[in-house]
Amino acid sequence: MQSMSDIATKKLGNFLQEIEQRSHFHAGYPYNLTCDYSEIVKSFNYMLNNAGDPYVEPDFGLHSRQFEQEVLSFFAQLYKIPEHKFWGYVTAGGTEGNLYGMFLAREIYPNGILYSSEDSHYSIPKAARLFRIKHQVVDSQINGEMDYRHFAELISQNREYPAIINLNIGTTVKGAIDNLDKVIEILERYQIKNYYIHCDAALSGLILPFLDGAPQVNFQKPIDSVAISAKFMGSPLPCGVVLTKKKWVERVETMIEYIGSKDTTILGSRNGHAPLILWYALQSRGYNGLAREAKTCIRNAQYLFQQLQLREYPCMLNKFSTTVVFKKPSQKLIKKWQLASFENWVHIVVMQNIDREKIDTFIDELVLEQRLFEQVQDLQLQAVS
């Protein structure tokens, strides 16, 4: 008779084998699956809680603040905000970063109106409901980018109210980038002095800064916060980073005596292993390593797009994006490759684990399926005639 430990070992082994198989055909969601954190695996034998402010040493000793601060310093340099002017923390992911940006905006402008495009991530309207922010949805262009004429129209109708703007720096479905300069020009045109710009840079936040000729989205321009997911870096735990201006955080902070720190975050208790993972990723790859990976992913996305075009398969790819959108194939192919589907379309997000060999394999399967479909149609037509 098997012991409970034997049963558990077998069940865990089966699960890991299944996850390994699924990882091989994972293409529709933006996760870098090439991560290897065996060097820091021993840290999981300890409880790490970064409760409170990342820059305040608490009474609680089991934390990884020193690593979190180094991670935040890297992102501050990447987004061009001086150390003495910025504040941030390692979040549980892009959604928490978006919630934090919306929370600060509401505290600064309680009567502000939130503007976000219909292609914005679902966490933005969720934040509007949670924080009771009046929300107006801006139309999107066909490529997923904000419709600036509609945005200008809405702004002109609400000039007496502060504007809270969510900019998409790579939309979830189509990878579109809203134009920060056009948005600023519209705000200036209608003499909107009180505004808060939050940038949802979930995936593209670690791609765009490394690309030649890409739009400049950083704190040298009048943005107020940016949310970035760690998906591109590769992490076994969902996590990310939010950056903002220190002066905004000082307006919401409160001191919590029993932890010996300030309450400045959304969650309070925060995962202390996530900063350690991000720190190790940065140490092992550095700026140049991330830049090479970003450029490789862009080239591979363009390769996938070109292969689809050569076969006259309906598809779309935004500039500076790794999200290739194309006509929905069979449910069998969607299930196998774990493609994200919406209406009559699906997409592949080309990450570090989607190389050209894998792209060729997918294209071969897509073409074979298309041929079989056409043969069936021909047989049906012959039968009718």
Side-chain angles (χ1 to χ4, degrees), residues 177-245:
I177 299 167
D178 293 336
N179 191 312
L180 173 59
D181 294 334
K182 284 185 179 180
V183 165
I184 293 170
E185 186 275 320
I186 290 167
L187 293 171
E188 291 175 348
R189 186 195 315 165
Y190 292 102
Q191 299 182 326
I192 307 298
K193 304 296 183 185
N194 295 324
Y195 62 84
Y196 183 106
I197 298 177
H198 172 73
C199 299
D200 178 6
L203 175 62
S204 296
L206 271 167
I207 297 176
L208 220 58
F210 303 112
L211 303 181
D212 297 332
Q216 292 293 302
V217 179
N218 55 56
F219 285 90
Q220 289 186 340
K221 296 185 178 183
I223 67 170
D224 295 281
S225 55
V226 58
I228 305 159
S229 170
K231 291 171 181 173
F232 185 79
M233 292 177 75
S235 168
L237 304 175
C239 57
V241 166
V242 64
L243 296 179
T244 187
K245 296 173 180 176

Side-chain angles (χ1 to χ4, degrees), residues 41-111:
V41 73
K42 286 184 179 179
S43 70
F44 287 92
N45 291 330
Y46 301 95
M47 200 285 288
L48 297 176
N49 187 341
N50 284 17
D53 191 288
Y55 295 98
V56 177
E57 183 68 24
D59 298 334
F60 181 79
L62 301 177
H63 62 80
S64 62
R65 270 172 175 71
Q66 67 272 38
F67 296 100
E68 183 171 19
Q69 290 168 17
E70 288 188 40
V71 169
L72 294 170
S73 180
F74 172 85
F75 279 93
Q77 292 176 48
L78 194 64
Y79 278 85
K80 300 180 180 179
I81 181 169
E83 291 273 350
H84 67 283
K85 288 187 176 181
F86 99 95
W87 184 92
Y89 73 96
V90 172
T91 65
T95 289
E96 187 184 353
N98 286 339
L99 291 177
Y100 197 77
M102 296 298 102
F103 167 63
L104 288 181
R106 200 281 311 272
E107 292 298 292
I108 296 161
Y109 298 118
N111 65 332

Side-chain angles (χ1 to χ4, degrees), residues 112-171:
I113 297 174
L114 168 62
Y115 303 91
S116 68
S117 80
E118 56 188 352
D119 275 53
S120 293
H121 190 260
Y122 63 83
S123 60
I124 299 301
K126 178 193 290 186
R129 293 195 301 274
L130 284 170
F131 302 129
R132 300 287 191 238
I133 306 172
K134 186 177 180 182
H135 184 201
Q136 296 204 340
V137 178
V138 183
D139 292 343
S140 291
Q141 300 176 50
I142 194 167
N143 73 329
E145 191 176 345
M146 177 185 286
D147 183 324
Y148 305 105
R149 286 184 296 180
H150 189 222
F151 175 67
E153 182 184 322
L154 293 174
I155 287 290
S156 69
Q157 293 170 1
N158 300 291
R159 297 188 207 195
E160 67 274 25
Y161 295 100
I164 300 169
I165 302 112
N166 175 74
L167 280 190
N168 298 309
I169 313 303
T171 57

Side-chain angles (χ1 to χ4, degrees), residues 263-380:
D263 180 27
T264 45
T265 66
I266 293 283
L267 295 182
S269 284
R270 296 182 294 110
N271 188 326
H273 289 92
L276 194 57
I277 288 167
L278 299 186
W279 176 85
Y280 182 78
L282 290 173
Q283 292 298 310
S284 57
R285 286 136 78 190
Y287 181 97
N288 291 333
L290 289 171
R292 282 194 300 272
E293 290 177 22
K295 291 170 184 176
T296 298
C297 289
I298 287 288
R299 286 194 297 268
N300 286 344
Q302 291 168 347
Y303 175 75
L304 170 57
F305 178 62
Q306 289 161 3
Q307 294 305 305
L308 291 167
Q309 281 187 314
L310 284 171
R311 291 157 179 82
E312 299 182 345
Y313 201 90
C315 56
M316 183 190 78
L317 174 63
N318 274 300
K319 199 171 183 182
F320 306 113
S321 174
T322 63
T323 302
V324 182
V325 180
F326 53 97
K327 188 182 74 174
K328 185 183 285 187
S330 70
Q331 196 60 37
K332 181 182 177 182
L333 218 56
I334 290 172
K335 190 76 174 174
K336 176 180 177 179
W337 289 88
Q338 301 162 62
L339 305 179
S341 60
F342 43 96
E343 298 176 352
N344 295 319
W345 302 92
V346 295
H347 72 207
I348 285 178
V349 184
V350 179
M351 303 295 281
Q352 292 88 329
N353 51 297
I354 307 294
D355 56 20
R356 296 200 178 191
E357 182 180 353
K358 195 166 286 188
I359 290 170
D360 289 339
T361 300
F362 174 78
I363 289 292
D364 289 343
E365 292 184 16
L366 185 67
V367 169
L368 178 60
E369 178 184 273
Q370 196 173 23
R371 284 176 185 162
L372 291 172
F373 177 74
E374 289 170 355
Q375 287 173 5
V376 169
Q377 280 192 319
D378 290 341
L379 289 172
Q380 287 174 340

